[in-house]
């Protein structure tokens, strides 16, 4: 790799610290007793224990997928801790009783949780290893009937909603990692927006993996009743360890008639060091069901972290005239591998979907887009537009595009465009010769390249995403 | 030998050797440029002219294996490419690069502000900068619509060269190196660009032109003409040397030099 590109990509990970905190951690390994133990620790209702055990038995019969273009040594599932929670000093009554070490940790990550400091327009659920430590603005949202809490809490206070929707969009047997998640998930966020309610603030979950040996298996469920609207953001980081940690999450979204869910992810897991050692394996299943007529679900993701990303946020467009959108920027660096994309399944009439994917590969990394567009037999007048652009920086990076298109209805219309551009050393030198630093050069080129996606992010997050991408590329020049 | 006033020297190159991919290209190059001077380098294809310009600008693909370069009293080789640019060295590329997705205006503004920032001066906001750049467009007779297009993307050969001079007009370098800025320009454009360069070359600045043709030197009259061959300056003369080269080619110089070596 050329020296200018080299300087560009050697930037230390900023969120790599470990919080020293006493935790309640169960021994490594997985069997039915561990599944029961997790459920017991959370004092869950019987239907949940059954759900988990069904999933576990299903998982035992499955194999991990081999089709993604990623390579990693086999994962030893008996060498992972499936439950780790910070020990509460005493029973919490309010946020101000949260362990100060944890508040400090989140503050260091830019997520202040205390009353005085927290973001005014964003409600946050903060998840540390296996459990939710705090949710802000819960009471205020409850005044409008909006439920925003950890999924463990929802299991106690709103069990009927969980029983009704959990596993509805991503069934237990959907895939290997979804089955594993369904068996062992420890926490996550639950959102319920009542009829005709426009959620007055951004909702956000921040995931932090702290324990080097624990996997993180969170579960997110968002239900938007008829005529409601919610905008949700997910963020994540992890300390730097030499070993790889597994993150296998499941996110399910349900939008009823005329409802709209915007789901944005700014993902910055630890990606491993410059030689590809360590980092998070991010094997995630995200799917939205546009169940009602005129409903709309949009996924926006900015992916910069993970050693390996395997993730395809999808939309199942059942309601007539429903709309699915996927906007993605995935940046890979060093030896990172990403196989990511989306599925748009058109079932109802006049359903529409848009896919805009921007992959940026630097260093020795490999970035693949994989997308399925399916127009079912009853989806009269369905339309899809897909655009997949790749940008390669330096000579050793790779990019692939795998579009799969299945059209079973002749009135459907599918358009696909793809491009690859290469940023060579000469282009970077051109910027430098005009007095522009490599960091500024890269961030100008990347923001130009990603503009269509950043325009879709809520304002604050667009700025954050832009900053994150430039940070990720910042060299140690000077 | 006369003792020169150091402050008058902008660039001093001594015994410079450089290679690319392990192949030696520059093989002992000496050159001195003072304030207010206009130099031209001519020489056959592949003799190392562009290599020399890129070594001066700090292109990472070229490795300096020996010699020294002093620029405005500083060791140029110790500076990063963007530091060289900020201290006043400008290279108009023989083949200007296309930068998709970045508007010409943003590119110019960041370049201009990077210099202000390095000098500890306040940066110009978008509106003030817009006024400034519009004033400069006239120097190269460029249409404002070029500002909103991506840098050099889809520009014709001649438009790219004009865009290089627009950047020069904005950045006001102490030393401008113009690598074949004349090639690809039609007659009118050549005059416009030459006028622009003359306008920008105030007595405290200097220009180093690389060219194959006399016609540029009709408009920008050089004080010195150097002939480069195999990575060295073979001979140096006044503006007449270029005319002589135009009519007789390079062979007679090679022959003269061989005689010189034999003596
Ligand atoms: N990156 C490179 N890799 C290999 N060889 C190179 C590289 N850059 C330059 N050279 C070689 O160095 C020699 C000098 O090239 P250079 O571009 O400096 O010539 P020039 O005098 O500018 O020629 P022209 O008049 O054609 O522009 C040539 O033989 C060229 O092939
Ligand atoms: Mg050349």
């Amino acid at each position: 790799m050329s020296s200018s590109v080299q300087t560009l990509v050697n930037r230390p990970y900023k969120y790599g610290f470990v919080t020293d905190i006493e935790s309640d951690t169960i021994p490594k390994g997985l069997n039915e007793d561990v599944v029961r133990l997790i459920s017991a620790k959370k004092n869950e209702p019987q239907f949940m224990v059954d759900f988990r055990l069904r999933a576990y038995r299903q998982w035992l019969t499955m194999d991990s997928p081999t089709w993604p273009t990623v390579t990693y040594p086999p994962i030893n599932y008996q060498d992972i801790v499936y439950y780790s929670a910070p020990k509460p000093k005493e029973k919490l009554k309010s946020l101000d009783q949260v362990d100060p070490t944890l508040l400090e940790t989140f503050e260091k990550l830019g997520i202040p949780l205390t009353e005085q400091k927290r973001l005014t327009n964003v409600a946050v659920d903060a998840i540390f290893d296996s459990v939710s430590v705090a949710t802000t603005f819960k009471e205020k949202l409850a005044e409008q009937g909006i439920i925003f809490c950890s999924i463990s809490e929802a299991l106690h206070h709103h069990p009927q909603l969980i029983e009704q929707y959990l596993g509805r969009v991503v069934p237990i047997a959907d895939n290997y990692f979804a089955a594993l998640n369904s068996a062992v998930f420890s926490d996550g966020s639950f959102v319920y927006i009542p009829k005709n309610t426009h959620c007055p603030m951004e909702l956000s979950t921040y995931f932090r993996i702290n324990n080097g040996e624990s996997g993180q298996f969170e579960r997110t469920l968002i239900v938007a009743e008829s005529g409601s609207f919610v905008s949700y953001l997910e963020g994540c980081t992890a300390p730097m360890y030499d070993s790889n940690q597994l993150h296998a999450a499941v996110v399910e979204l349900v939008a009823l008639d005329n409802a709209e869910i915007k789901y944005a992810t700014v993902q910055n897991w630890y990606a491993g060091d410059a030689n590809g050692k360590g980092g998070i394996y991010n094997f995630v299943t995200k799917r939205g069901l546009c169940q009602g007529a005129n409903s709309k679900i949009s996924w926006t993701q900015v992916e910069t972290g993970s050693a390996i990303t395997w993730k395809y946020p999808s939309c199942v467009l059942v309601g007539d005239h429903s709309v699915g959108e996927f906007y993605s920027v995935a940046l890979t660096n060093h030896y990172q591998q990403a196989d990511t994309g989306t599925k748009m399944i058109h079932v109802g009439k006049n359903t529409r979907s848009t896919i805009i994917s921007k992959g940026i590969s630097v260093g020795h990394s490999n970035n693949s887009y994989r997308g399925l567009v399916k127009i079912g037999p009853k989806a009269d007048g369905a339309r899809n537009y897909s655009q997949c652009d790749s940008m390669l920086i330096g000579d050793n990076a790779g990019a692939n595009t795998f579009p799969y298109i299945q059209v079973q209805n002749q009135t459907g219309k599918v358009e696909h465009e793809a491009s690859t551009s290469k940023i060579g050393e000469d282009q970077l030198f051109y910027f430098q010769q005009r007095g522009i630093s490599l960091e500024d050069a890269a961030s100008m080129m990347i923001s130009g390249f990603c503009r269509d996606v950043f325009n879709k992010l809520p304002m604050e997050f667009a700025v954050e995403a832009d900053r994150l991408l430039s940070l990720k590329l910042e060299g140690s020049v000077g | 030998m006369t003792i020169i006033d150091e402050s008058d020297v902008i660039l001093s190159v001594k015994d410079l050797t450089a290679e690319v991919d392990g192949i030696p290209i520059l093989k002992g190059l000496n050159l001195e440029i003072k304030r207010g001077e206009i130099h031209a380098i001519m020489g056959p294809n592949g003799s190392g002219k562009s290599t020399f310009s890129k070594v001066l600008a700090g292109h990472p693909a070229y490795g300096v294996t020996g010699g020294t370069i002093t620029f405005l009293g500083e060791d140029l080789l110790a500076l990063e490419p963007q530091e060289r640019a900020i201290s006043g060295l400008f290279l108009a590329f023989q083949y200007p690069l296309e930068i998709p997705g970045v508007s010409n205006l943003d590119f110019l503004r960041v370049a201009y502000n990077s210099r202000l920032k390095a000098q500890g001066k306040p940066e110009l906001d978008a509106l003030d900068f817009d006024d400034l750049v519009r004033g400069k467009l006239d120097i190269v007779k460029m249409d404002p619509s070029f500002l909103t297009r991506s840098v050099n993307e889809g520009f014709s050969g001649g438009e790219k060269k004009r865009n290089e001079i627009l950047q020069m007009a904005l950045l006001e370098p102490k030393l401008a190196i113009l690598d074949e800025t004349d090639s690809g320009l039609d007659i009118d454009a050549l005059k416009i660009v030459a006028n622009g360069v003359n306008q920008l070359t105030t007595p405290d600045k200097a220009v180093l032109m690389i060219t194959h043709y006399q016609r540029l030197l009709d408009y920008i009259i050089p004080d010195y003409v150097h002939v480069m061959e195999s990575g060295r300056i073979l001979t140096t003369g006044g503006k007449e040397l270029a005319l002589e080269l135009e009519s007789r080619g390079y062979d007679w110089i090679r022959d003269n030099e061989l005689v010189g070596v034999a003596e």
Side-chain angles (χ1 to χ4, degrees):
Chain A
M1 188 170 34
S2 68
S3 54
S4 53
V5 176
Q6 199 120 43
T7 356
L8 188 63
V9 300
N10 288 337
R11 155 87 200 181
Y13 184 66
K14 213 174 118 187
Y15 305 106
F17 62 90
V18 182
T19 305
D20 183 15
I21 192 158
E22 214 188 322
S23 55
D24 170 12
T25 300
I26 65 172
K28 285 179 182 177
L30 184 56
N31 52 46
E32 285 205 6
D33 289 341
V34 169
V35 175
R36 281 182 223 277
L37 179 62
I38 294 170
S39 196
K41 284 209 175 269
K42 300 183 156 296
N43 207 3
E44 289 175 348
Q46 187 59 39
F47 80 84
M48 204 55 240
V49 188
D50 298 341
F51 179 96
R52 288 176 182 280
L53 287 171
R54 256 185 289 133
Y56 176 69
R57 289 170 196 152
Q58 181 70 43
W59 179 72
L60 287 177
T61 69
M62 299 170 86
D63 290 312
S64 61
T66 50
W67 46 264
T69 51
V70 299
T71 46
Y72 55 93
I75 295 171
N76 180 357
Y77 290 93
Q78 298 306 333
D79 197 34
I80 293 173
V81 169
Y82 288 86
Y83 185 87
S84 173
K87 262 195 192 146
K89 295 237 161 86
E90 61 208 77
K91 200 85 196 119
L92 303 185
K93 282 204 201 69
S94 83
L95 252 182
D96 302 320
Q97 291 170 6
V98 174
D99 187 334
T101 325
L102 287 174
L103 292 179
E104 228 171 79
T105 299
F106 281 98
E107 199 157 330
K108 230 163 128 182
L109 296 169
I111 315 291
L113 298 172
T114 51
E115 202 81 42
Q116 311 86 302
K117 289 188 188 157
R118 63 203 189 184
L119 308 165
T120 48
N121 206 26
V122 184
V124 180
D125 185 19
I127 296 192
F128 189 89
D129 286 337
S130 302
V131 295
S132 165
V133 296
T135 309
T136 62
F137 292 111
K138 216 180 340 189
E139 296 76 19
K140 184 156 182 252
L141 291 165
E143 287 166 15
Q144 294 191 42
I146 295 169
I147 305 170
F148 179 42
C149 63
S150 72
I151 206 144
S152 325
E153 196 180 323
L155 272 166
H156 292 122
H157 299 311
H158 314 281
Q160 68 298 344
L161 283 173
I162 303 290
E163 190 167 10
Q164 186 181 351
Y165 288 107
L166 195 75
R168 189 69 198 279
V169 187
V170 179
I172 282 171
D174 189 77
N175 69 70
Y176 188 76
F177 299 111
L180 177 63
N181 173 285
S182 303
V184 302
F185 76 82
S186 39
D187 218 337
S189 301
F190 175 65
V191 175
Y192 177 82
I193 314 289
K195 257 189 184 150
N196 300 325
T197 304
H198 187 107
C199 183
M201 50 175 80
E202 296 282 340
L203 303 185
S204 175
T205 301
Y206 194 93
F207 297 103
R208 173 76 177 168
I209 297 182
N210 190 57
N211 187 321
E213 297 186 310
S214 78
Q216 194 174 45
F217 305 93
E218 86 273 355
R219 188 95 190 183
T220 301
L221 175 60
I222 300 179
V223 178
E225 288 281 5
S226 310
S228 69
F229 170 88
V230 63
S231 171
Y232 181 89
L233 179 95
E234 170 202 298
C236 30
T237 57
M240 301 193 284
Y241 291 114
D242 284 348
S243 55
N244 298 101
Q245 288 98 54
L246 178 63
H247 173 248
V250 172
V251 175
E252 298 177 279
L253 313 181
V254 180
L256 300 176
D257 288 355
N258 300 305
E260 178 173 356
I261 302 176
K262 287 182 155 190
Y263 193 105
T265 306
V266 175
Q267 189 254 74
N268 189 21
W269 293 119
Y270 177 53
D273 69 9
N275 301 313
K277 199 167 168 53
I280 303 284
Y281 291 164
N282 193 35
F283 300 150
V284 168
T285 307
K286 291 183 166 175
R287 195 172 303 153
L289 174 62
C290 280
Q291 183 177 324
N294 298 309
S295 58
K296 178 173 174 183
I297 289 180
S298 71
W299 299 100
T300 304
Q301 57 171 16
V302 177
E303 302 277 321
T304 64
S306 301
I308 302 179
T309 301
W310 176 97
K311 150 174 175 190
Y312 313 88
S314 306
C315 296
V316 183
L317 305 170
V318 171
D320 291 347
H321 302 278
S322 62
V323 176
E325 293 175 337
F326 174 76
Y327 300 99
S328 168
V329 170
L331 174 84
T332 53
N333 195 351
H334 300 311
Y335 287 86
Q336 275 177 272
Q337 309 172 59
D339 193 303
T340 182
T342 184
K343 290 189 266 185
M344 292 292 173
I345 313 291
H346 293 256
V347 179
K349 292 186 184 30
N350 298 312
T351 45
R352 278 177 292 138
S353 64
T354 305
I355 298 172
I356 300 197
S357 159
K358 305 277 180 175
I360 305 160
S361 339
V362 193
H364 289 87
S365 67
N366 196 23
N367 206 327
S368 299
Y369 167 82
R370 188 183 301 277
L372 167 70
V373 176
K374 183 171 175 177
I375 311 270
K378 293 187 182 136
D380 292 342
R383 277 185 288 144
N384 162 267
Y385 172 76
S386 305
Q387 183 190 332
C388 305
D389 300 320
S390 314
M391 182 157 106
L392 302 174
I393 301 185
D395 297 329
N396 300 310
N400 304 297
T401 303
F402 303 104
Y404 303 90
I405 298 170
Q406 298 170 8
V407 180
Q408 297 165 340
N409 182 312
Q410 289 318 308
T411 62
K413 208 172 129 198
V414 176
E415 281 175 79
H416 179 87
E417 286 176 29
S419 77
T420 301
S421 49
K422 207 172 154 142
I423 301 300
E425 180 162 79
D426 283 329
Q427 274 160 308
L428 291 171
F429 177 66
Y430 190 60
F431 279 89
Q432 286 184 289
Q433 211 310 298
R434 299 303 182 242
I436 301 173
S437 68
L438 286 172
E439 293 84 342
D440 287 348
S443 76
M444 284 171 85
M445 283 186 284
I446 290 173
S447 359
F449 180 71
C450 303
R451 198 163 295 135
D452 330 1
V453 175
F454 287 178
N455 285 346
K456 297 290 168 190
L457 285 173
M459 187 52 199
E460 314 88 277
F461 303 127
V463 173
E464 169 66 15
D466 216 2
R467 198 185 60 89
L468 185 63
L469 288 182
S470 16
L471 268 184
K472 196 76 189 175
L473 285 168
E474 198 172 295
S476 38
V477 182
Chain B
M1 200 178 112
T2 49
I3 295 173
I4 44 156
D5 176 2
E6 276 297 319
S7 64
D8 264 355
V9 177
I10 289 189
L11 181 77
S12 165
V13 179
K14 296 206 172 101
D15 302 323
L16 181 68
T17 56
E19 57 172 38
V20 56
D21 288 337
I23 310 159
I25 312 281
L26 302 183
K27 301 167 183 168
L29 194 150
N30 290 284
L31 181 68
E32 186 167 276
I33 298 178
K34 292 195 217 132
R35 283 179 208 283
E37 291 179 350
I38 295 183
H39 291 239
I41 295 185
M42 303 182 83
N45 294 134
S47 56
K49 304 180 299 296
S50 294
T51 301
F52 178 47
S53 70
K54 287 186 185 157
V55 167
L56 288 175
H59 193 295
Y62 298 82
V64 172
T65 48
T68 58
I69 308 177
T70 312
F71 179 66
L72 298 169
E74 270 196 278
D75 176 8
L76 188 72
L77 296 174
L79 301 180
E80 292 287 327
Q82 75 266 24
E83 295 170 326
R84 300 182 191 197
I86 283 166
S87 66
L89 185 135
F90 179 88
L91 171 60
F93 287 65
Q94 182 172 358
Y95 304 107
L97 281 296
E98 299 193 2
I99 315 285
V102 176
S103 81
N104 216 9
L105 187 65
D106 284 345
F107 182 79
L108 293 167
R109 191 183 63 241
V110 176
Y112 189 82
N113 278 336
S114 296
R115 196 183 51 153
L116 290 180
K117 200 162 125 194
Q119 294 166 345
K121 293 181 190 158
E123 299 175 35
L124 282 195
D125 65 31
L127 285 178
D128 287 343
F129 182 77
D130 208 60
D131 290 345
L132 176 76
V133 78
R134 275 163 200 278
K136 303 282 180 187
L137 284 174
D138 203 40
I139 297 178
V140 284
K141 307 259 180 308
M142 216 159 112
D143 191 271
S145 64
F146 283 95
L147 293 175
T148 47
R149 288 170 61 178
S150 292
V151 180
N152 292 329
E153 197 180 34
F155 287 25
S156 76
E159 287 162 354
K160 286 182 184 168
K161 296 300 178 79
R162 272 201 229 195
N163 202 27
E164 295 289 284
I165 303 306
L166 173 65
Q167 296 177 28
M168 173 181 167
L170 198 69
L171 299 173
E172 301 182 325
K174 291 285 186 302
L175 174 66
I177 305 160
L178 312 179
D179 191 357
E180 296 198 28
T181 300
D182 53 331
S183 59
L185 292 181
D186 65 43
I187 299 292
D188 292 338
L190 180 71
K191 283 187 203 164
I192 291 166
V193 163
N195 273 335
V197 172
N198 284 329
Q199 219 176 309
L200 296 167
T201 313
T202 49
D204 61 324
K205 301 194 171 74
V207 174
L208 175 63
M209 292 181 285
I210 295 169
T211 184
H212 289 292
Y213 305 106
Q214 172 60 36
R215 55 172 207 171
L216 175 68
L217 308 182
D218 289 340
Y219 297 106
I220 307 175
I221 299 173
D223 300 298
Y224 299 96
V225 174
H226 310 277
V227 177
M228 189 153 168
E229 162 92 333
S230 305
R232 278 191 202 97
I233 304 257
L234 214 55
T235 189
T236 296
K239 60 174 193 281
E240 345 57 70
L241 180 57
L243 290 166
E244 188 122 32
L245 288 170
E246 181 108 316
S247 59
R248 297 175 67 182
Y250 291 112
D251 280 348
W252 65 277
I253 297 188
R254 287 190 192 117
D255 296 344
N256 276 5
E257 284 296 311
L258 284 179
V259 173
V261 170
E263 274 169 1

